[in-house]
Amino acid sequence: MAEQQGFMERHHFLLRRLHSLSGIVPIGVFLIVHLTTNASVIWGAANGRAAPYAADAAGRGVATFQHEVNFINNLPLLLLIEIFGLWLPIAFHVILGIVYAMTGSKNTQTYAYTGNKRYLLQRLSGYVGVLFIFYHVASLRWGWTFLVPNGTEWSHYFAASTLAAALKGEAGMWTTPGVIVAIFYFIGVSLLVYHFANGLWTAAITWGITVSEAAQKRWGYVCTAVGVVLMGTAWTALGGFLFAVDYDQARAVEEQIFIEHHGEEGLQKFMDNPVDEQAAATIHEAEPGDG
Amino acid sequence: MADKRVIVVGGGLAGLAATIRIAEAGVPVDLFSMTPVKRSHSVCAQGGINACNEVARQQGYSEYQHFDETLYGGDFLADQNPVLEMANWAPRIIDLLDRMGVPFNRTNEGRRDLRLFGGSLFKRTHFAGATTGQQLLYALDEQTRRFETEGKVNKFEWWEFLWPVIEGEGSDKRCVGIVAQDMRTMQVRAFRADAVVMATGGVGIVFGQSTNSVICTGGAASRCMQAGAWYGNAEMIQVHPTAIPGADKCRLMSESARGEGGRVWVPRKPGDTRDPMTIPVEERWYFLEERYPKYGNLVPRDIATREIFDVCVNEHMGIGGGNMVYLDLTHMDPDYLTRKLGGILDIYEKFAGADPRFTPMKIFPAVHYSMGGMWTTYEAGDYMPDAPMPEHVPGTPPPVDAEVGRGMVRGAPNNMMTNIEGLYAFGEVNFAYHGATRLGANALLSCIFDGLFCGEGVVNFVNNTGRSAADVAPSVYEAVVKQEEAKAERLIASAGPGGGDDPAYNAYIIGKEMGEVMTATSTVVKTEAGLESCLNTLAALRERYGKVRLSDTATWTNQTLSYARAVGDMLILAEAIARAGLLRKESRGSHYRTDYKDRDDTNFWKTSISRFNPDTGSVDVSFEPVRAGLVAPRPRTYGKDTHKETEKKETVAAG
Amino acid sequence: MSAIATETTKAAESTRTVHFRIKRCDGPGKPSRWEVFDVPVPAHANVISCLQWIAANPTTADGKATTPVVWESSCLEEVCGACTMVINGKVRQSCSCLMDEYAPNDGDTITLEPMSKFPVIRDLWVDRSRMFDALKRVRAWVPIDGTYSLGPGPMEGPKESETRYKLSECMTCGCCLEACPQYHLETDEAAWATSFIGAAPISQARLFNEHETGAVLKADRLEALMGPGGINDCGNAQNCVQVCPKEIPLTESIATIGRAATFEAFRRFFQSR
């Protein structure tokens, strides 16, 4: 009998629990790190070590963010970490999530309980979140610039400035497609934060950590707090790139940091051939005392 | 032996207990029920289940005392030996239920908690919250399901019992199966069995509204009676004094409401429709307190019932002119009430839509239980005193121990067998144990006792009988199938365009009128004139029933057919109840005749036996002596001295 | 008692007319249709008494003769679970559905539909066999050694007993399943074993796991609930606990079984042969 069952059936329990787990570790953890990093564009203003790069808060934020990005990009085996720590878990979580969500139905109109609405929103946020992550990664990570208003390509060397431009659609100003992209980011990021916080709450039931109704309620407050803080972080980051970053100033700060690492010559080389990954890699290797 | 089978009809406590016992012994059981067995009427029992227990024993109680109380409570109408065996088995039954996982209320030490109940000075009632019956039924349902998965029980749920298949003539008659109908597909089919256990419960629907479930029509018992089974003590119908009248049924309001200080009253002005809270105290008639200054609202159950009935029906003083009186708790602290009576007050609020903490409850007596039922016999056990014993004094050594077999012989094939060989009656449909009225919390006990104890006799019967149902000619079964198919077809054919339009021939209207006349004449207060007019009305209703017209011709899931057929059977059962009541010219237990107010042991210490006469189509009633000898009958006074009793009677007469 | 019903009807100042919109269906595979009945409703009526009136007077509001509405009922006290149906869109028992609350005014409308998660037999009568089948799947019983006299069962504290009593009040009515967005109509019996089992049987599994003798079958119950259609198919919408007429802590039961399943998984991985 067991032989005739499909893979999903045979490993039903394991897959379900891995799905639950993967949403927290590594995806949830990554989300926290990612949003915290991005929010550094604002909280970086308070970063004393960024003071040499700019006199004003916005500039210090850009500098801090750039340092964070550089740190990540300099991690050893970054690609392996990305593939096994991020892309595969996300793909796993997404594919199973869709399969599982398909088993549900919607009856919030009849049974308009908060829990039921949360259940529905968890699934909707999953679907929208997948689209958002795809857009986010495709446009910024894979360089599918045709998805970006005005075709700005994000560069991790000029993280804040290129990101702000990619979001708003123009280097220094808002465009209509840019507004749409920005709204999409706002919605996408918010829903993903909700998805994580609510997922954290339901996972505790799934694993049997919170059993009593009171415990579920208490843990609900904790998850709400996590969600609120994370939502604040996300909105801070997004707001920072949309409203706080001045393109030209940011560019200047970023160039200063680039030069610090790669020298004037490196910057010149990079500007000549920005898309040449190999050239960039060369620059990287040539850089002494990197870190 | 391998092909021997037993049919159990009814999946309440008695039916399931029998099923478990018989299946456990290796005899396959086919279990028939009109409803998924987990929804049987047993779920409605609230109070608990009586049994002698260690604490009570050390206080002077005993199984024998339980036996004595039960006989006394039943006004000595019950055959005595089975009651002794039942009381002796009660502690074992509680233990068994405990092992099955019934969540009995517990003490701090983890033992089963006990409560005080009517008819005893000892705490001997085990309970599980406010739904003991439900909890016991579920425990048996679970065990049945276990046997079902093991293939030892085959359930036929949503199958209606139509007729017993009986072969042979005279004393050689034996039951070899049943004919039943699938209530969904309407298929009529015969089922073979070497023994048939009827566990089909009470007859409440005969009285229209009662505390019973809608399936408690007594139809199955009536069909057995029409097929030749005897029906015992039909007139013994217990009426509970405080029920919540509803448009669909009456729901029980526990007597603890009066116990906690509830006052019963009606407005002094007949037909007063004012909000009860605005009626000043001097305009309220606390009739129980006025008529019984000593006992007030705490008069015994039967007296309370009769007084409420009298005030409403004879004096037309009920609320708004209707049949209801106030049971008032509003003078008491709401928090206290919640603490003491929370569960039952919630029931009232749920179904009456008013909070009894702030609005007086409207209550009226309602038909609750049938002590009468199919007549059964038994093999008496080895205890028989030289002379019938007087009242047992608590704390004195009982005249007999509680060993198995003192009251009935364990495993005897004829235990609770009807007058037809192979046809048994267990539970409420069995007339044994409760006599003329039933003690609270004894019903659950008798149901389970029948199933467990007498189920063993069924096993012995099918294993030891030389005859096998497998050898019975198919024509015997086919004849009954034909009879029932013809009955159904005749009813279906009656329905034409506009069928059911004429209320005179509408089964629902006939059923309603039957309920009304039965309630009015054959429950709380009975008179010769009333019962005679009742019999006339029933005859007229049967006349009309002969021309009944259905409003549904469907050959799929036709509930109208099922109900209409049952109405015909209920009319016959109603006749037995009324006729036996007419002929029992005495008052005993729940049977109260205003024209014969005293118990008459000389002429009526007898079981009434109703037999259906196929020639006349009516019911003949005869009286047989009660099988006694264990305890001498004594007046049922509950400690009141005769002086008080006389005083009360005078008050009643004067009122 | 009948006498009461008549008297109270007379005594009530007046009756009001309530329109009953009832979804009817003649049998499996037959199309559904709506019929409207104008029912004279006295004070203190409930849905059952109105359906009883319709049974005796089967004529629609526009005067057409029809058949009595078919529905399942038994105790009428909300302890048997039989008369569960969808009333004004929401699932509940019809016996405890009071007209004074649901249709207080003359001309109000009440809508009755059969439960949607179970196959319709006729009109409002549905077949909930799948629920009873589920009780077999989770071995919802205490495996006693037989019915012979073997002394009392295990001792149990009052708290534990109360917990089990609450769970044991489940009357298999199916409200929790009707309201569950993860539970679906399944007419194919072969698929019952892998379709989501729902809150009620999960809670019953907990009930018997928490009994000293019942716990003997704990591993079997978890085995049944850890596979497809089991505990993991719960989506935590928690409608079950909201609609349960007996206020059974179903979500606590689900979490309890979730915890047991977690431990069982580890036990199997590290311990079992």
Side-chain angles (χ1 to χ4, degrees):
Chain A
M1 182 67 208
E3 315 306 318
Q4 289 153 4
Q5 288 179 329
F7 179 82
M8 294 284 283
E9 283 74 35
R10 261 181 295 135
H11 301 287
H12 174 87
F13 187 80
L14 183 67
L15 290 174
R16 281 283 193 169
R17 288 296 168 95
L18 282 180
H19 176 249
S20 172
L21 186 66
S22 64
I24 298 167
V25 180
I27 303 172
V29 171
F30 167 76
L31 182 73
I32 295 172
V33 171
H34 188 48
L35 291 178
T36 313
T37 306
N38 288 5
S40 67
V41 76
I42 294 296
W43 62 255
N47 178 8
R49 281 158 60 192
Y53 301 101
D56 69 337
R60 287 199 297 277
V62 169
T64 310
F65 178 61
Q66 189 59 51
H67 274 295
E68 295 284 326
V69 171
N70 284 348
F71 169 75
I72 290 166
N73 277 279
N74 289 335
L75 285 175
L77 304 173
L78 180 63
L79 190 67
L80 286 181
I81 294 174
E82 269 190 306
I83 290 175
F84 291 103
L86 208 53
W87 302 129
L88 287 180
I90 288 180
F92 173 80
H93 192 81
V94 164
I95 292 168
L96 283 192
I98 291 172
V99 170
Y100 296 152
M102 304 278 272
T103 66
S105 59
K106 168 186 166 300
N107 61 5
T108 43
Q109 241 156 348
T110 315
Y111 303 102
Y113 309 118
T114 323
N116 201 17
K117 289 176 186 164
R118 278 203 299 263
Y119 161 90
L120 179 65
L121 191 55
Q122 184 71 0
R123 278 135 192 84
L124 287 181
S125 63
Y127 287 129
V128 176
V130 171
L131 292 179
F132 170 70
I133 290 170
F134 176 78
Y135 175 79
H136 179 59
V137 171
S139 62
L140 300 186
R141 185 74 177 78
W142 302 339
W144 292 12
T145 51
F146 61 91
L147 290 174
V148 181
N150 227 15
T152 306
E153 188 188 2
W154 183 70
S155 160
H156 65 81
Y157 294 109
F158 307 99
S161 58
T162 51
L163 180 55
L167 291 178
K168 289 198 276 194
E170 185 76 45
M173 54 200 289
W174 285 94
T175 62
T176 310
V179 171
I180 294 169
V181 168
I183 291 174
F184 183 49
Y185 260 76
F186 177 74
I187 293 171
V189 148
S190 303
L191 285 178
L192 282 177
V193 167
Y194 166 81
H195 192 88
F196 172 64
N198 189 54
L200 207 54
W201 183 73
T202 56
I205 301 170
T206 301
W207 290 83
I209 295 164
T210 53
V211 169
S212 73
E213 215 165 291
Q216 292 178 15
K217 207 166 187 176
R218 281 193 292 270
W219 180 241
Y221 292 135
V222 173
C223 293
T224 308
V226 168
V228 167
V229 169
L230 216 50
M231 195 72 85
T233 313
W235 290 351
T236 301
L238 186 60
F241 292 115
L242 290 177
F243 303 111
V245 171
D246 176 90
Y247 184 84
D248 295 329
Q249 185 207 18
R251 186 77 193 186
V253 172
E254 286 157 2
E255 280 179 10
Q256 198 184 336
I257 296 173
F258 193 94
I259 290 165
E260 206 173 274
H261 287 247
H262 309 288
E264 293 275 1
E265 198 184 333
L267 177 65
Q268 200 53 51
K269 233 169 150 183
F270 181 76
M271 296 308 280
D272 291 346
N273 194 0
V275 287
D276 187 344
E277 282 293 326
Q278 236 178 338
T282 323
I283 297 164
H284 189 235
E285 276 161 20
E287 222 293 308
D290 191 7
Chain B
M1 147 103 211
D3 57 351
K4 293 282 175 70
R5 323 183 60 82
V6 170
I7 282 176
V8 174
V9 183
L13 284 178
L16 294 186
T19 299
I20 292 165
R21 190 61 146 189
I22 296 166
E24 184 184 20
V27 179
V29 177
D30 296 321
L31 174 60
F32 288 78
S33 172
M34 288 181 74
T35 184
V37 295
K38 202 177 175 179
R39 312 200 193 285
S40 300
H41 177 62
S42 303
V43 292
C44 289
Q46 297 173 354
I49 175 166
N50 294 334
C52 180
N53 56 83
E54 270 325 297
V55 177
R57 194 187 300 284
Q58 289 171 38
Q59 293 169 340
Y61 196 69
S62 61
E63 286 88 349
Y64 185 84
Q65 180 87 41
H66 184 188
F67 155 69
D68 189 69
E69 281 169 3
T70 305
L71 281 186
Y72 177 65
D75 227 349
F76 296 93
L77 189 60
D79 287 350
Q80 298 187 346
N81 321 66
V83 181
L84 175 64
E85 193 67 29
M86 175 177 79
N88 286 351
W89 271 80
R92 299 186 188 108
I93 286 172
I94 300 293
D95 277 350
L96 174 60
L97 293 166
D98 192 13
R99 284 169 49 220
M100 286 178 179
V102 172
F104 285 115
N105 278 48
R106 298 278 169 170
T107 63
N108 284 332
E109 213 180 314
R111 299 173 200 283
R112 295 177 301 235
D113 204 358
L114 298 155
R115 64 162 54 137
L116 204 54
F117 233 71
S120 183
L121 298 168
F122 296 89
K123 281 192 177 182
R124 54 142 166 63
T125 304
H126 304 70
F127 62 104
T131 59
T132 310
Q134 182 194 43
Q135 295 308 313
L136 302 194
L137 181 74
Y138 288 2
L140 298 185
D141 173 67
E142 289 144 12
Q143 297 300 323
T144 305
R145 187 165 291 106
R146 181 183 167 204
F147 283 120
E148 204 186 348
T149 56
E150 292 169 12
K152 292 173 183 166
V153 172
N154 201 5
K155 270 190 201 159
F156 292 84
E157 289 171 327
W158 289 327
W159 278 77
E160 183 176 4
F161 166 85
L162 296 184
W163 211 261
V165 178
I166 292 166
E167 75 138 21
E169 284 303 321
S171 61
D172 197 35
K173 270 188 180 179
R174 61 170 179 145
C175 183
V176 291
I178 66 165
V179 166
Q181 182 168 34
D182 185 327
M183 293 164 71
R184 291 154 296 176
T185 65
M186 306 309 280
Q187 179 200 9
V188 174
R189 234 194 92 181
F191 296 85
R192 258 172 219 275
D194 297 277
V196 172
V197 176
M198 300 300 292
T200 52
V203 304
I205 303 301
V206 168
F207 296 85
Q209 266 112 347
S210 70
T211 64
N212 288 18
S213 295
V214 295
I215 46 176
C216 304
T217 61
S222 173
R223 286 161 200 166
C224 290
M225 182 167 75
Q226 292 168 65
W230 302 346
Y231 197 91
N233 292 335
E235 70 280 18
M236 293 303 172
I237 300 289
Q238 185 174 67
V239 178
H240 196 284
T242 56
I244 312 162
D248 52 341
K249 82 168 288 189
C250 304
R251 298 168 178 94
L252 214 60
M253 171 47 56
S254 167
E255 275 177 48
S256 47
R258 281 188 296 143
E260 291 296 340
R263 300 179 75 188
V264 175
W265 61 277
V266 289
R268 285 195 182 275
K269 199 177 90 190
D272 197 332
T273 53
R274 281 180 292 172
D275 174 358
M277 295 307 281
T278 67
I279 300 178
V281 173
E282 60 274 15
E283 291 177 38
R284 300 175 178 187
W285 181 25
Y286 294 94
F287 57 92
L288 286 178
E289 295 170 32
E290 190 181 299
R291 289 179 175 179
Y292 300 93
K294 285 190 183 135
Y295 286 82
N297 295 292
L298 290 172
V299 288
R301 188 184 275 203
D302 47 342
I303 294 179
T305 297
R306 276 167 215 149
E307 289 302 333
I308 294 169
F309 197 82
D310 178 62
V311 161
C312 294
V313 177
N314 300 330
E315 306 198 19
H316 304 289
M317 288 293 288
I319 303 165
N323 280 345
M324 276 191 282
V325 301
Y326 289 121
L327 173 54
D328 197 347
L329 289 162
T330 58
H331 55 286
M332 302 181 66
D333 174 30
D335 291 336
Y336 174 82
L337 292 175
T338 306
R339 264 199 324 279
K340 285 292 206 175
L341 301 170
I344 62 164
L345 298 187
D346 290 345
I347 292 173
Y348 185 85
E349 196 171 354
K350 180 168 266 172
F351 287 98
D355 186 345
R357 296 164 191 86
F358 306 103
T359 313
M361 293 184 277
K362 294 177 181 175
I363 55 102
F364 195 70
V367 167
H368 184 49
Y369 188 86
S370 171
M371 281 69 69
M374 292 168 70
W375 181 90
T376 49
T377 183
Y378 57 86
E379 195 67 40
D382 57 17
Y383 171 65
M384 182 55 71
D386 298 334
M389 300 298 289
E391 176 176 4
H392 182 63
V393 180
T396 61
V400 61
D401 61 29
E403 286 306 305
V404 175
R406 295 293 182 247
M408 281 195 281
V409 174
R410 181 175 188 163
N414 65 339
N415 283 341
M416 299 308 142
M417 190 190 273
T418 65
N419 58 307
I420 297 169
E421 192 182 281
L423 182 66
Y424 293 82
F426 289 3
E428 190 175 344
V429 78
N430 179 4
F431 92 119
Y433 310 115
H434 304 300
T437 192
R438 176 179 63 76
L439 287 188
N442 257 356
L444 301 181
L445 176 63
S446 64
C447 286
I448 299 175
F449 171 71
D450 264 350
L452 287 176
F453 182 84
C454 306
E456 235 174 291
V458 177
V459 172
N460 290 337
F461 172 75
V462 298
N463 285 343
N464 299 332
T465 178
R467 306 191 286 190
S468 169
D471 305 330
V472 176
S475 59
V476 173
Y477 296 91
E478 283 157 17
V480 184
V481 169
K482 283 221 173 70
Q483 165 200 319
E484 288 305 312
E485 277 176 348
K487 204 189 279 178
E489 274 159 25
R490 188 179 58 77
L491 284 166
I492 293 275
S494 74
D501 269 7
D502 188 343
Y505 306 118
N506 181 322
Y508 293 97
I509 308 285
I510 295 173
K512 189 166 175 271
E513 289 179 23
M514 168 184 64
E516 281 163 9
V517 68
M518 289 301 289
T519 300
T521 62
S522 209
T523 51
V524 185
V525 179
K526 304 180 191 179
T527 62
E528 185 161 320
L531 290 166
E532 270 172 356
S533 89
C534 174
L535 285 167
N536 290 336
T537 308
L538 289 174
L541 287 172
R542 273 182 77 178
E543 188 82 23
R544 276 162 59 188
Y545 179 75
K547 299 178 203 158
V548 72
R549 298 183 70 180
L550 264 53
S551 50
D552 193 352
T553 59
T555 51
W556 174 267
T557 321
N558 190 331
Q559 284 182 329
T560 308
L561 168 68
S562 169
Y563 179 76
R565 182 170 43 208
V567 168
D569 300 314
M570 282 191 277
L571 283 166
I572 292 165
L573 196 57
E575 187 190 332
I577 295 167
R579 193 175 302 283
L582 177 69
L583 296 177
R584 184 181 287 280
K585 294 178 177 173
E586 63 159 352
S587 289
R588 185 186 291 270
S590 64
H591 175 75
Y592 182 69
R593 287 279 299 259
T594 50
D595 38 3
Y596 302 94
K597 284 183 179 164
D598 296 315
R599 194 171 87 187
D600 177 359
D601 283 344
T602 319
N603 295 307
F604 289 105
W605 190 22
K606 286 174 181 169
T607 301
S608 79
I609 295 180
S610 303
R611 296 181 178 89
F612 181 74
N613 185 334
D615 301 326
T616 60
S618 67
V619 177
D620 300 334
V621 178
S622 59
F623 289 88
E624 298 286 333
V626 169
R627 289 172 72 176
L630 276 57
V631 178
R634 56 185 189 269
R636 182 172 169 269
T637 59
Y638 281 107
K640 281 171 281 174
D641 59 43
T642 36
H643 172 66
K644 270 184 199 159
E645 198 60 20
T646 326
E647 197 176 69
K648 256 177 217 157
K649 273 174 192 158
E650 278 161 6
T651 323
V652 175
Chain C
M1 314 176 91
S2 294
I4 308 162
T6 349
E7 292 297 326
T8 42
T9 312
K10 273 185 217 155
E13 295 266 298
S14 63
T15 60
R16 58 187 186 277
T17 301
V18 172
H19 311 297
F20 272 77
R21 264 185 89 233
I22 301 177
K23 192 177 187 181
R24 308 202 52 179
C25 171
D26 289 338
K30 304 269 174 65
S32 293
R33 63 180 191 280
W34 290 92
E35 275 181 5
V36 179
F37 298 87
D38 286 350
V39 180
V41 174
H44 308 303
N46 60 5
V47 166
I48 294 280
S49 70
C50 293
L51 283 171
Q52 286 173 341
W53 185 90
I54 293 172
N57 305 276
T59 306
T60 62
D62 43 11
K64 259 190 260 163
T66 181
T67 52
V69 176
V70 173
W71 84 100
E72 191 186 9
S73 67
S74 182
C75 78
L76 311 189
E77 293 182 12
E78 212 187 63
V79 278
C80 82
C83 68
T84 311
M85 58 182 73
V86 176
I87 302 176
N88 289 351
K90 249 188 201 163
V91 69
R92 63 165 300 156
Q93 276 74 52
S94 49
C95 63
S96 57
C97 182
L98 306 181
M99 296 302 292
D100 291 350
E101 190 186 321
Y102 269 64
N105 304 310
D106 193 58
D108 281 347
T109 298
I110 271 200
T111 307
L112 304 182
E113 294 165 82
M115 295 169 88
S116 65
K117 303 287 175 77
F118 303 97
V120 172
I121 294 173
R122 189 178 167 189
D123 293 344
L124 303 173
W125 188 0
V126 296
D127 184 351
R128 281 169 279 184
S129 303
R130 185 176 160 198
M131 288 194 76
F132 295 107
D133 182 75
L135 293 178
K136 290 182 195 162
R137 275 174 63 198
V138 300
R139 288 157 186 75
W141 55 76
V142 174
I144 56 165
D145 289 344
T147 60
Y148 289 87
S149 298
L150 298 171
M155 299 246 278
E156 184 178 40
K159 260 213 174 108
E160 289 75 16
S161 159
E162 261 169 58
T163 306
R164 288 201 309 113
Y165 174 72
K166 199 67 219 159
L167 302 178
S168 188
E169 278 192 293
C170 172
M171 52 190 184
T172 325
C173 68
C175 284
C176 56
L177 308 180
E178 177 70 16
C180 174
Q182 291 288 124
Y183 192 89
H184 306 293
L185 173 70
E186 188 54 80
T187 46
D188 175 16
E189 280 187 39
W192 286 356
T194 50
S195 308
F196 182 43
I197 197 164
I202 292 174
S203 189
Q204 289 291 299
R206 176 189 172 201
L207 167 64
F208 293 98
N209 283 353
E210 294 195 359
H211 185 268
E212 198 180 308
T213 317
V216 169
L217 296 178
K218 190 172 176 178
D220 293 328
R221 291 190 194 103
L222 291 175
E223 168 78 33
L225 288 175
M226 284 164 75
I231 183 80
N232 286 314
D233 286 18
C234 168
N236 293 304
Q238 304 203 331
N239 290 352
C240 50
V241 77
Q242 298 276 356
V243 298
C244 176
K246 296 285 126 184
E247 292 169 1
I248 296 167
L250 293 167
T251 46
E252 283 189 20
S253 294
I254 289 169
T256 305
I257 294 293
R259 172 178 287 189
T262 305
F263 283 117
E264 176 69 8
F266 281 106
R267 191 194 66 77
R268 281 191 201 165
F269 189 83
F270 291 108
Q271 220 176 312
S272 82
R273 276 169 292 164

